[in-house]
Amino acid sequence: MAYDFSLVSSKMKSSKIRELMKYASMPGVISFAGGMPDPDNFPFDDVKSIINNWDVKSSKIAMQYGTTNGYGALVEDIIKRMTTVKHINPEGQGVVVTTGGQQGLYLVAKIFLDPGDVILVEDPTFIGGMASFLSCQAQVVGVSLEDDGVNVDELETTFLSLKKAGKNVKFFYTIPNFQNPKGSTMSLGKRKKLYELSKKHNLVIIEDDPYGDLFYTGTSEDYLPVKSLGNDAPIIYIGSFSKVLSPGFRLGWIYADDIIIDKAALAKQSIDACSSSFGQVIASDYLKLGKIDDYLTKMRAVYSKKKNVMMEMITQYFPESVKVTNAKGGFFIYAKLPDGISGNALFLRTIKENVAFVTGEPFHTDPVTGDQHIRLSFSNSSDDEIKKGIKIIGDTITAMIKEM
Amino acid sequence: MIAKRMTNIPKSFIREILKVASNPDIISFAGGLPNPGLFPVQEIQEASNKVFSSDGMSALQYSTTEGYLPLREYISARYKEKENLDISPDEILITNGSQQGLDLLGKVLIDDNDGVIIEKPGYLGAIQAFSMYNPEFYPVSLENDGVDMKELTTIIENNAVKLFYGIPNFQNPSGVTYSTEKREQIAQLLDKRNVLFIEDNPYGELRFMGGTKKSIKSYLPDSVLLGSFSKIVSPSLRLGWIAAPQTILEKCIIAKQASDLHTNYLSQRILYQYLTDNNLDNHISKITATYKMQRDIMVQSINTFFPGNIEYTKPEGGMFLWITLPNGMSAMKLFERAIEKGVAFVPGKPFYVNDNSDTTLRLNFSNVTGENIQKGIEIMSKIIRFD
Ligand SMILES: Cc1ncc(COP(=O)(O)O)c(C=O)c1O
Ligand SMILES: Cc1ncc(COP(=O)(O)O)c(C=O)c1O
């Protein structure tokens, strides 16, 4: 039978990272590609005992369909953390628990985007975000991302000129903390400016913050969400349990104005009815154990050490003409290669020596600029792998420079 | 500000009803929940212990979009065993419940105004999911043995129709099962007219009487078949699947990446362990024995208490029974009175796409005790008879 696909599906592309992951997951390959948490430290003993300790009541909730907005106890826990840890004023705000932060992005795409609408993104930005927005047929426009966050002035000019051209600009998507892929963090000054801009123009901001708890310098107060600046600007916060508990559960949340939450829940009903109650009861019980803060402290130390090893190796083995961002948190170091060196070409050489990473290409609105970059994730590699892998990448870049 | 597609979704009246019905003092025939007394709690706990002891680290990690391969192999083997149906694991995508399958298929197949045939009454979750893609719905009436074939033929002959979404076993909401003849006729007709069939089968294994019928996919291999563990193990694991030809499945996989990356991997591992260590057929026979008892009590109570001019379906499986009131009687009014007296159900209205029919209603029996079924039906019958 000849299948007649929808227009949008004929335009959809498979994620390049997913394709590359095939190499990365081959045995013997040192992979800086994935952006996966470190599995050695998952709290699986806690999770195991939580499941074994369920009484009849908890196990019935954990095995039954749940409400679309999420398991009540977990929703309360999330609001509490959003209030006490992230300093967001809970007034008029609500939660919908999502199937990973990724579904949060899909839901905002569903509720805001008509075909042809424009959205603004940091350039480069997270490909999963772009994939969701493109799947709802939006037009994506990039705004320069600097080491201290998006260029807010450029954001405003771009927004205004698009408006003037009659475009429907629906939102600006940002990852203020330890951005994926760039590793950059938005300064407090820019956060304030962005908040004011959003308020002034009523420009919706999608604030994606899966890494915010994983900072390696300073304190939690240094990385408070833009949304914590007040409730007078339309800011939709998206959180995730993937990097702080486990990605296998697929749990995240949207925290936003009740009107948005109602729409998101309505869309979610038809998308998957509810997120796993099984996972939600575990997450809620885990938060109730009161171990999360100690766990995060531990994980910050674990990742910070890996990052330092990677940075040391980069200093030692990468030619000086490679420019890297020294991330203050998160999972990624982003490197700009010397002129004339292609990320894809580099990949094809290092993969022969069993070292994988992702090139910047899919993250940028301009693939040529993208190809001048590579993203190195340190989160899921041992010190030895980092040492070995970075040396190989560095040596290969040096060799390619010589060959030019 | 808000996307147009959001205005297409029917507002969920059911959600409002379920809020009222969740009050423990109310006898609720409204939901569509499995009987929680039958959840294999201990077995799932044991399975999770095994997964954590053997492979806890990877069970909590990110995984592939397609889903856990051994689980897909299990589903493939079960199709072979039960129906002699050849579906390879590569033709199976694990989804976040079969509800997600509906959204993914809507996304990869439906453009604005594409023709979509749906049963009348139809499954609300599908109406909602497809509405997001703004199709032109063509509802086709259900009879006691499946869709009205004349109507179906006329619709297909006179309109550009892309797909037909149906639930051949113990349909939600009506409880109707398609006869073998109609299955064959549908397969022939759709094949000839190049219309894609999407067969949703979350209840097929919950047959408590009558002979098993083959899925339409066995007559029409190019069609799509949706399955779910929600009603045979547990809905909270959120595990369903799409079985489809690879060209369709590949598109669904890409769409799923943008939707949620992959399905809950811990659930997949625990479920697979459970399926390996336990006999699913034995578990399902416990469920069907209980549901048959609940269904029989409901049928008998209706027979005893309801006036004779009320029609009802007598399902051979599944979780629902469908009532048609005599003309002039309003299901919405009955609902309002019944709630006052502590009984809830779902009036038929939300199950129709463009029809204001107010004489039908859906009763769920899986999540109500036998005693309460009798009580609830008696209360309803008093309202029907005397108000
Ligand atoms: C910036 C960003 N947002 C969202 C996600 C999605 O994470 P999840 O769906 O696992 O919560 C990721 C994961 O890599 C990410 O890097
Ligand atoms: C006909 C039908 N399809 C699909 C579903 C969705 O089930 P799940 O997403 O739990 O697999 C249901 C649930 O009630 C249903 O009745």
Side-chain angles (χ1 to χ4, degrees):
Chain A
M1 170 168 183
Y3 301 105
D4 188 4
F5 293 108
S6 65
L7 293 172
V8 64
S9 87
S10 45
K11 277 186 256 166
M12 285 188 307
K13 284 183 301 190
S14 178
S15 142
K16 190 139 186 181
I17 292 199
R18 291 259 147 198
E19 305 289 314
L20 291 178
M21 294 278 259
K22 282 180 196 146
Y23 292 108
S25 58
M26 284 181 334
V29 170
I30 296 176
S31 173
F32 305 128
M36 297 194 181
D38 170 22
D40 291 345
N41 285 294
F42 284 141
F44 63 87
D45 282 331
D46 288 328
V47 173
K48 182 175 161 185
S49 68
I50 283 169
I51 297 173
N52 283 302
N53 286 332
W54 281 337
D55 57 14
V56 177
K57 188 166 161 255
S58 295
S59 59
K60 276 191 182 163
I61 296 170
M63 300 281 282
Q64 187 58 284
Y65 280 112
T67 57
T68 307
N69 284 75
Y71 173 45
L74 181 63
V75 167
E76 280 171 29
D77 297 332
I78 291 171
I79 293 175
K80 203 166 124 205
R81 276 194 87 76
M82 290 283 93
T83 312
T84 58
V85 183
K86 304 291 178 191
H87 299 317
I88 297 174
N89 176 359
E91 209 183 303
Q93 308 297 302
V95 168
V96 56
V97 174
T98 58
T99 304
Q102 183 67 44
Q103 190 185 56
L105 297 170
Y106 184 51
L107 288 172
V108 296
K110 275 255 179 184
I111 66 175
F112 281 108
L113 302 178
D114 285 317
D117 283 350
V118 175
I119 54 135
L120 298 163
V121 301
E122 294 163 340
D123 199 358
T125 192
F126 172 52
I127 46 170
M130 276 206 275
S132 283
F133 309 146
L134 292 173
S135 84
C136 290
Q137 304 182 60
Q139 184 193 337
V140 176
V141 174
V143 181
S144 309
L145 179 62
E146 297 160 341
D147 285 343
D148 61 346
V150 70
N151 182 327
V152 184
D153 295 327
E154 187 188 323
L155 175 67
E156 185 165 31
T157 0
T158 311
F159 171 74
L160 291 175
S161 66
L162 284 163
K163 277 287 230 204
K164 212 167 158 194
K167 295 284 186 187
N168 240 335
V169 183
K170 285 295 175 71
F171 56 71
F172 168 54
Y173 170 60
T174 177
I175 308 157
N177 292 319
F178 330 126
Q179 207 252 12
N180 182 1
K182 197 173 160 81
S184 58
T185 294
M186 198 185 291
S187 65
L188 181 60
K190 281 193 174 175
R191 286 177 204 239
K192 286 183 174 157
K193 234 170 134 176
L194 179 62
Y195 179 81
E196 290 306 323
L197 184 148
S198 161
K199 190 167 122 186
K200 182 167 136 204
H201 297 299
N202 198 29
L203 172 63
V204 174
I205 298 202
I206 310 298
E207 178 170 30
D208 189 11
D209 193 24
Y211 305 101
D213 291 313
L214 298 176
F215 48 86
Y216 313 136
T217 133
T219 69
S220 173
E221 306 290 310
D222 298 326
Y223 307 101
L224 294 178
V226 181
K227 190 170 173 63
S228 70
L229 294 170
N231 287 355
D232 292 331
I235 301 178
I236 297 173
Y237 181 91
I238 297 181
S240 169
F241 285 105
S242 287
K243 310 300 178 340
V244 298
L245 181 55
S246 144
F249 285 74
R250 310 304 305 126
L251 285 180
W253 66 93
I254 302 179
Y255 193 47
D257 213 273
D258 284 325
I259 302 168
I260 298 295
I261 294 302
D262 277 355
K263 293 279 177 206
L266 184 58
K268 183 173 166 67
Q269 258 191 315
S270 75
I271 285 167
D272 65 0
C274 59
S275 294
S276 164
S277 330
F278 192 81
Q280 291 187 68
V281 178
I282 295 173
S284 163
D285 287 0
Y286 182 76
L287 291 174
K288 290 212 166 43
L289 285 180
K291 290 187 179 175
I292 178 102
D293 291 314
D294 288 343
Y295 179 69
L296 289 174
T297 306
K298 178 175 116 185
M299 293 317 293
R300 287 194 276 266
V302 168
Y303 290 129
S304 164
K305 181 159 169 279
K306 288 179 191 289
K307 193 209 74 171
N308 290 339
V309 174
M310 188 175 269
M311 281 307 287
E312 277 162 31
M313 295 308 290
I314 284 175
T315 315
Q316 200 172 336
Y317 291 106
F318 279 20
E320 270 182 27
S321 50
V322 179
K323 301 278 172 264
V324 297
T325 41
N326 187 0
K328 293 177 182 163
F331 285 0
F332 308 109
I333 290 173
Y334 206 51
K336 183 168 187 304
L337 302 171
D339 284 349
I341 306 260
S342 140
N344 282 303
L346 177 63
F347 177 84
L348 291 174
R349 288 175 67 151
T350 62
I351 193 67
K352 286 201 192 117
E353 296 186 61
N354 284 340
V355 179
F357 54 82
V358 283
T359 79
E361 191 184 322
F363 300 101
H364 288 255
T365 56
D366 171 27
V368 178
T369 313
D371 192 37
Q372 293 167 352
H373 298 83
I374 61 173
R375 191 191 73 178
L376 301 167
S377 156
F378 49 81
S379 53
N380 188 23
S381 305
S382 69
D383 290 0
D384 279 349
E385 287 169 332
I386 294 173
K387 285 179 186 159
K388 217 170 132 193
I390 293 296
K391 180 169 185 310
I392 289 174
I393 297 173
D395 290 349
T396 313
I397 298 173
T398 308
M400 287 170 81
I401 292 173
K402 284 215 185 92
E403 289 160 22
M404 279 199 314
Chain B
M1 271 313 263
I2 298 296
K4 286 199 194 71
R5 72 173 67 79
M6 293 306 294
T7 57
N8 296 335
I9 326 178
K11 217 178 141 59
S12 185
F13 174 60
I14 291 205
R15 207 147 61 120
E16 305 305 312
I17 293 180
L18 291 181
K19 265 185 212 154
V20 184
S22 67
N23 176 343
D25 297 334
I26 287 202
I27 297 177
S28 175
F29 301 130
L33 304 184
N35 187 328
L38 296 163
F39 291 143
V41 177
Q42 207 185 331
E43 291 85 347
I44 289 287
Q45 277 168 336
E46 280 161 15
S48 87
N49 286 340
K50 269 202 184 170
V51 169
F52 282 116
S53 320
S54 63
D55 204 9
M57 289 200 273
S58 91
L60 292 175
Q61 187 56 288
Y62 279 116
S63 185
T64 58
T65 309
E66 291 81 352
Y68 186 46
L69 181 60
L71 182 60
R72 290 187 283 133
E73 285 167 346
Y74 176 93
I75 295 165
S76 164
R78 197 168 169 87
Y79 276 131
K80 185 73 187 166
E81 180 199 326
K82 297 288 166 193
E83 292 199 56
N84 197 26
L85 200 53
D86 287 303
I87 297 175
S88 97
D90 291 338
E91 294 172 312
I92 295 169
L93 166 65
I94 304 289
T95 55
N96 200 25
S98 55
Q99 185 64 45
Q100 186 182 38
L102 299 172
D103 178 55
L104 296 177
L105 289 164
K107 167 154 286 173
V108 308
L109 294 166
I110 303 175
D111 282 319
D112 278 7
N113 303 318
D114 276 349
V116 170
I117 299 177
I118 187 156
E119 296 151 328
K120 180 170 112 186
Y123 170 52
L124 186 70
I127 297 173
Q128 284 186 320
F130 295 154
S131 291
M132 289 263 199
Y133 302 97
N134 199 25
E136 179 77 39
F137 280 118
Y138 294 98
V140 54
S141 306
L142 273 178
E143 300 168 330
N144 279 330
D145 61 347
V147 285
D148 179 331
M149 288 306 298
K150 259 203 209 125
E151 231 180 276
L152 181 66
T153 312
T154 313
I155 290 171
I156 290 181
E157 279 176 358
N158 295 312
N159 301 281
V161 169
K162 197 172 216 176
L163 62 91
F164 171 12
Y165 165 82
I167 309 159
N169 294 314
F170 327 125
Q171 198 249 10
N172 180 1
S174 70
V176 162
T177 295
Y178 292 23
S179 67
T180 301
E181 299 78 69
K182 284 202 172 169
R183 287 170 199 244
E184 287 170 357
Q185 287 166 11
I186 289 168
Q188 268 175 19
L189 177 66
L190 299 193
D191 190 33
K192 199 169 80 192
R193 297 284 171 172
N194 206 26
V195 173
L196 181 68
F197 191 58
I198 298 180
E199 178 170 20
D200 192 4
N201 191 26
Y203 305 106
E205 299 228 41
L206 299 183
R207 176 176 281 284
F208 38 70
M209 53 179 66
T212 314
K213 299 198 165 56
K214 288 174 117 180
S215 39
I216 291 184
K217 190 170 171 73
S218 65
Y219 306 104
L220 192 62
D222 280 348
S223 59
V224 177
L225 178 53
L226 300 174
S228 173
F229 288 104
S230 287
K231 310 299 182 332
I232 53 177
V233 181
S234 151
S236 78
L237 299 172
R238 304 306 301 126
L239 293 175
W241 65 89
I242 304 176
Q246 275 188 16
T247 38
I248 296 186
L249 208 69
E250 277 163 18
K251 300 274 183 195
C252 291
I253 291 168
I254 299 174
K256 184 168 165 69
Q257 286 172 7
S259 204
D260 60 9
L261 295 177
H262 66 80
T263 297
N264 188 330
Y265 187 54
L266 180 65
S267 296
Q268 295 184 66
R269 295 294 300 267
I270 293 176
L271 176 69
Y272 178 70
Q273 191 66 49
Y274 165 82
L275 295 170
T276 310
D277 297 346
N278 296 275
N279 184 324
L280 182 59
D281 291 332
N282 289 349
H283 178 63
I284 292 175
S285 25
K286 272 189 225 157
I287 301 177
T288 49
T290 308
Y291 288 4
K292 176 171 191 306
M293 180 197 76
Q294 290 168 303
R295 175 266 191 203
D296 286 348
I297 294 173
M298 187 171 269
V299 167
Q300 273 163 26
S301 309
I302 290 173
N303 206 0
T304 310
F305 298 116
F306 276 17
N309 56 354
I310 287 179
E311 286 171 37
Y312 57 99
T313 54
K314 302 186 187 69
E316 295 182 345
M319 308 185 345
F320 305 107
L321 187 148
W322 185 248
I323 305 270
T324 308
L325 302 170
N327 267 334
M329 212 183 270
S330 154
M332 286 302 291
K333 288 219 176 92
L334 178 60
F335 172 76
E336 282 156 24
R337 297 276 162 77
I339 275 287
E340 285 165 20
K341 301 260 191 277
V343 179
F345 58 84
V346 185
K349 235 179 197 158
F351 302 108
Y352 298 95
V353 185
N354 29 22
D355 188 329
N356 261 333
S357 171
D358 186 26
T359 58
T360 53
L361 56 105
R362 187 188 78 177
L363 299 177
N364 164 265
F365 49 80
S366 59
N367 196 23
V368 197
T369 62
E371 191 188 339
N372 277 343
I373 291 175
Q374 212 167 341
K375 241 198 219 158
I377 295 293
E378 204 178 338
I379 291 169
M380 283 176 70
S381 75
K382 278 188 189 142
I383 303 170
I384 294 172
R385 282 177 188 275
F386 302 114
D387 278 12

